[in-house]
């Protein structure tokens, strides 16, 4: 399915109010917390929301003489993520010290991978709307430690430090500046998050900070990006500003929008954009300067003497590759192909792996489109009404929903009765076929019984019969009456046929 898509940007929007046409160029550095129970270089727990400073090993607190020991599980998750993004895996990578002072960083440096990251170039295909996709190139993924948290709002005179997060493993996923607008940036994060969740390498919880993005924004004149795209020559692009630590799709879009307008105003006014790090203030809807851009040499990077270069074996990488799940793009293409679904429906069903698995169980032995309709419209709608329940907590199992759909297909119940049945199963449980039997919900297909009901209504309404004979469109009134008389259980097809015959 993806092969026939044009990997072109939706025409970049020109910015209203500007004298010239401008386009946006955006690159994201996404920090994804590795879904690991232990930290990158210590055995301390990573549980979110624990008592402050309760998940801190000596090495996390930088006690003198403590040495980091690499957590193999975290390395495996980075490799898994790289493979999921179709990236090159570097069998040799190395850790560097990025030196800076901050109270929540007791070591005085962060262990990261600047010169030799574990993952090289890959890609994310970003779905913009059905039929329109964009290829965003991934430059690298490196492993690094998270810092702790400084808490400034608990006491008027003091700040506190919580080291629980210190040393937790992060994957920094760096994109090339291939993103061309605010919606595309959000769509990129959505897609990346979806892939990480499919892989199980990051829980993607943005509220808890498991996934956060530094957003780099610059502006250029039409045509400049294309020159960069083919050559990787950054001189074709404008000076960028980096907006730090964004953890909401909405704020990412608002911040980019504001930042683009700010930069255009500066340049059209004859000034030039200063490369710097900025923060987004959601209350004011503005970005403001945080610090001037620091360069690698400001951090005095050097290879971490406590850690040997990280060597992994191709056979191990191959094993991890063999264990990858089916990823969103492939699953979506298969749903379109095998179940005859629209791309839109397939997209909804594959947004989360759990939804897709549920759907597949419902669709087993049933019509795929009908199953998709029931899962998307009835089940998702009902779960949403029920306090936004997760599909994994659905009171209706896939077997039960499949059972309801099978009864419709067999003609045992009408679509309308099926909705009543669904509600009964949802609230009280039970086997759908048994409920239909015991509650007498079965559709009346016995034409004798339907005919009797039709005769009765025709006899009681001679005036309506005359009108309907003159205008066949009025036969619908009789259908309604018969349905009412049979409690909605008469087979609609049989009712229509019998009425048409009797009125002729
Ligand atoms: P640093 O680590 O110093 O922030 P990197 O070279 O790692 O610098 O790039 C960081 C991010 O900036 C990358 O995601 C890249 O795509 C993006 N980027 C680079 N140049 C531009 C530009 N002109 N406009 C927008 N984004 C850019
Ligand atoms: Mg950066």
């Amino acid at each position: 399915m993806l092969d026939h898509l044009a990997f072109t940007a939706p025409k970049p929007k020109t910015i209203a109010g500007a004298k010239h046409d401008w386009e946006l160029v955006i690159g994201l550095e996404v920090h994804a917390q590795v879904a690991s129970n232990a930290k990158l270089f210590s055995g301390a727990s990573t549980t979110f929301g624990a008592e402050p400073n309760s998940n801190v090993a000596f090495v996390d607190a930088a006690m003198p003489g403590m040495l980091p020991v690499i957590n193999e599980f975290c390395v495996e998750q980075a490799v898994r993520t790289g493979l999921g993004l179709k990236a090159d895996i570097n069998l040799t990578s190395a850790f560097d010290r990025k030196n800076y002072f901050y109270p929540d960083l007791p070591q005085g440096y962060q262990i990261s991978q600047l010169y030799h990251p574990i993952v090289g170039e890959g890609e994310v295909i970003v779905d913009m709307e059905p039929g329109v996709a964009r290829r965003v190139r991934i430059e690298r993924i490196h492993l690094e430690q998270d810092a702790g948290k400084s808490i400034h709002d608990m006491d008027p005179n003091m700040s506190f430090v919580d080291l629980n997060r210190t040393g937790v493993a992060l994957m920094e996923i760096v994109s090339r500046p291939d993103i061309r607008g605010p919606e595309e940036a959000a769509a990129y994060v959505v897609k990346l998050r979806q892939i990480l969740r499919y892989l199980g390498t990051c829980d993607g919880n943005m509220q808890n900070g498991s996934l956060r993005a530094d957003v780099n924004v610059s502006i250029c004149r039409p045509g400049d990006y294309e020159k960069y795209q083919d050559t990787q020559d950054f001189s074709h692009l404008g000076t960028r500003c980096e907006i730090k630590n964004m953890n909401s799709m909405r704020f990412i879009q608002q911040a980019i929008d504001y930042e683009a307008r700010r930069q255009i105003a500066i340049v059209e006014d004859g000034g030039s954009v200063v490369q710097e790090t900025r923060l987004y203030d959601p209350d004011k809807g503005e970005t403001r300067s945080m610090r001037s851009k620091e360069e690698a040499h400001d951090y005095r990077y050097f290879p971490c003497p406590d850690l040997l270069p990280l060597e992994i074996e191709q056979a191990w990488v191959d094993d991890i590759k063999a264990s990858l799940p089916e990823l969103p793009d492939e699953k979506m293409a298969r749903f379109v192909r095998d179940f005859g679904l629209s791309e839109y429906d397939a997209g909804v069903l594959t947004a989360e792996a759990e939804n897709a698995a549920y759907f597949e169980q419902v669709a087993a032995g049933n019509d795929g489109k009908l199953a998709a309709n029931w899962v998307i419209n009835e089940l998702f709608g009902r779960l949403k009404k029920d306090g936004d329940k997760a599909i994994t907590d659905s009171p209706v199992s896939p077997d039960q929903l499949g059972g309801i759909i099978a009864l419709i297909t067999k003609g045992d119940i009408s679509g309308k009765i099926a909705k009543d049945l669904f509600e009964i199963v949802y609230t009280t449980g039970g086997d759908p076929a048994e409920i239909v039997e015991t509650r007498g919900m079965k559709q009346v297909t016995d034409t004798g019984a339907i005919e009797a009901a039709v005769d009765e209504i025709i006899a009681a309404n001679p005036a309506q019969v005359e009108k309907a004979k003159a205008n066949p469109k009025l036969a619908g009134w009789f259908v309604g009456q018969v349905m009412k008389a049979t409690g909605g259980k008469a087979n609609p097809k049989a009712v229509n046929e019998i009425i048409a015959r009797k009125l002729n």
Side-chain angles (χ1 to χ4, degrees):
M1 177 187 64
L2 290 163
D3 298 335
H4 71 256
L5 297 178
F7 291 107
T8 50
K11 193 109 189 84
K13 285 196 191 89
T14 46
I15 310 281
K19 285 183 232 149
H20 304 285
D21 284 348
W22 294 100
E23 292 182 0
L24 294 189
V25 171
I26 299 157
L28 262 59
E29 298 159 90
V30 170
H31 290 93
Q33 184 180 321
V34 176
S36 159
N37 294 330
K39 296 182 180 181
L40 183 53
F41 297 116
S42 83
S45 164
T46 60
T47 309
F48 181 82
E51 182 72 16
N53 297 307
S54 61
N55 293 338
V56 188
F58 287 133
V59 70
D60 305 325
M63 289 296 147
M66 294 299 115
L67 291 172
V69 177
I70 186 99
N71 178 341
E72 180 181 325
F73 181 79
C74 293
V75 176
E76 182 179 338
Q77 303 319 300
V79 170
R80 209 172 151 72
T81 301
L83 292 170
L85 301 182
K86 311 210 168 14
D88 305 328
I89 306 300
N90 296 325
L91 297 183
T92 302
S93 61
F95 290 96
D96 304 296
R97 285 187 183 179
K98 180 182 185 181
N99 299 282
Y100 65 98
F101 172 80
Y102 213 71
D104 59 23
L105 185 78
Q107 287 172 152
Y109 56 83
Q110 177 193 30
I111 304 178
S112 182
Q113 297 188 307
L114 178 69
Y115 300 109
H116 304 286
I118 185 160
V119 178
E121 295 189 357
E123 67 175 28
V124 175
I125 305 300
V126 181
D127 319 292
M128 294 308 296
E129 53 194 86
V132 180
R134 281 275 293 154
R135 189 192 304 275
V136 174
R137 291 168 293 178
I138 298 295
E139 185 183 313
R140 57 190 273 151
I141 303 175
H142 58 258
L143 270 170
E144 63 183 26
Q145 306 172 289
D146 206 346
K149 252 186 203 153
S150 297
I151 300 159
H152 305 294
D153 56 3
M154 270 176 67
D155 187 285
N157 302 312
M158 275 188 286
S159 283
F160 298 91
V161 171
D162 177 5
L163 296 182
N164 281 349
R165 209 176 61 185
T166 309
V168 166
L170 298 179
M171 299 178 282
E172 179 166 337
I173 305 166
V174 183
S175 88
R176 294 221 182 266
D178 286 342
I179 298 165
R180 306 306 312 282
E183 300 85 9
E184 228 177 276
Y188 168 78
V189 178
V190 167
K191 186 61 176 284
L192 185 58
R193 178 177 180 275
Q194 182 192 24
I195 295 172
L196 294 172
R197 285 174 56 80
Y198 264 62
L199 292 167
T201 57
C202 169
D203 68 21
N205 188 330
M206 295 183 80
Q207 228 150 17
N208 294 354
S210 302
L211 194 80
R212 42 194 206 264
D214 298 343
V215 181
N216 297 270
V217 181
S218 67
I219 53 166
C220 69
R221 301 301 302 273
D224 286 348
Y225 168 78
E226 284 71 18
K227 286 181 212 152
Y228 153 77
Q229 188 181 28
D230 300 335
T231 60
Q232 301 272 10
D233 177 352
F234 283 86
S235 70
H236 295 293
L237 300 179
T239 303
R240 73 185 198 264
C241 287
E242 175 174 358
I243 312 161
K244 273 279 177 207
N245 255 325
M246 307 288 297
N247 68 345
S248 131
M249 310 286 183
R250 196 155 57 93
F251 294 161
I252 287 175
Q253 297 186 62
Q254 291 172 357
I256 293 172
D257 195 70
Y258 175 86
E259 188 55 24
R261 287 167 203 279
R262 188 186 72 86
Q263 293 181 12
I264 290 168
I266 291 174
V267 175
E268 293 204 337
D269 221 31
S272 43
V273 175
V274 178
Q275 188 173 345
E276 61 184 358
T277 302
R278 301 178 68 86
L279 280 180
Y280 180 64
D281 179 342
D283 295 326
K284 292 203 176 119
E286 296 172 1
T287 63
R288 63 181 147 79
S289 182
M290 179 185 171
R291 57 174 187 244
S292 65
K293 176 69 192 166
E294 63 294 317
E295 304 290 339
H297 61 251
D298 295 323
Y299 289 112
R300 305 292 190 274
Y301 275 99
F302 64 86
C304 182
D306 290 340
L307 290 156
L308 288 167
L310 182 58
E311 307 266 2
I312 57 177
E313 282 170 11
Q314 186 59 47
W316 187 60
V317 175
D318 293 342
D319 282 351
I320 298 171
K321 191 167 191 174
S323 76
L324 289 190
E326 182 181 41
L327 290 168
D329 288 340
E330 288 104 59
K331 203 185 277 295
M332 183 165 150
R334 182 167 61 80
F335 279 15
V336 169
R337 191 179 66 231
D338 292 0
F339 297 110
L341 305 186
S342 66
E343 273 188 27
Y344 181 82
D345 283 354
V348 172
L349 291 170
T350 55
E352 298 281 349
E354 291 80 10
N355 293 349
Y358 186 104
F359 162 75
E360 287 208 71
Q361 280 187 60
V362 175
N366 280 314
D367 175 66
K369 274 191 184 157
L370 194 56
N373 278 341
W374 273 85
V375 172
I376 294 171
N377 299 324
E378 300 306 320
L379 181 67
F380 287 175
R382 189 65 179 85
L383 290 170
K384 197 169 178 114
K385 243 187 15 196
D386 194 3
D388 224 349
K389 264 206 169 95
I391 195 136
T392 39
D393 297 327
S394 167
V396 178
S397 72
D399 277 354
Q400 285 170 314
L401 186 52
I404 294 172
I405 295 171
L407 290 167
I408 305 172
T409 311
K410 263 204 302 185
D412 279 3
I413 55 173
S414 65
K416 188 176 162 298
I417 294 286
K419 290 189 186 179
D420 299 339
L421 176 60
F422 174 79
E423 188 56 29
I424 294 168
V425 176
Y426 192 97
T427 45
T428 63
D431 175 54
E434 256 174 56
I435 296 170
V436 164
E437 212 52 66
T438 54
R439 299 211 184 189
M441 296 168 85
K442 236 194 180 132
Q443 187 160 249
V444 180
T445 39
D446 168 5
T447 45
I450 296 173
E451 213 163 320
V454 173
D455 286 342
E456 213 169 287
I457 288 157
I458 284 181
N461 299 282
Q464 283 289 339
V465 172
E466 286 316 308
K467 280 191 214 159
K469 278 186 174 165
N471 179 3
K473 279 190 191 142
L474 298 179
W477 182 84
F478 287 91
V479 177
Q481 294 300 306
V482 175
M483 287 315 235
K484 214 176 195 176
T486 56
K489 286 184 296 187
N491 179 323
K493 197 164 155 249
V495 174
N496 275 303
E497 279 167 11
I498 292 167
I499 288 172
R501 177 156 52 76
K502 298 260 174 188
L503 289 179
N504 272 323

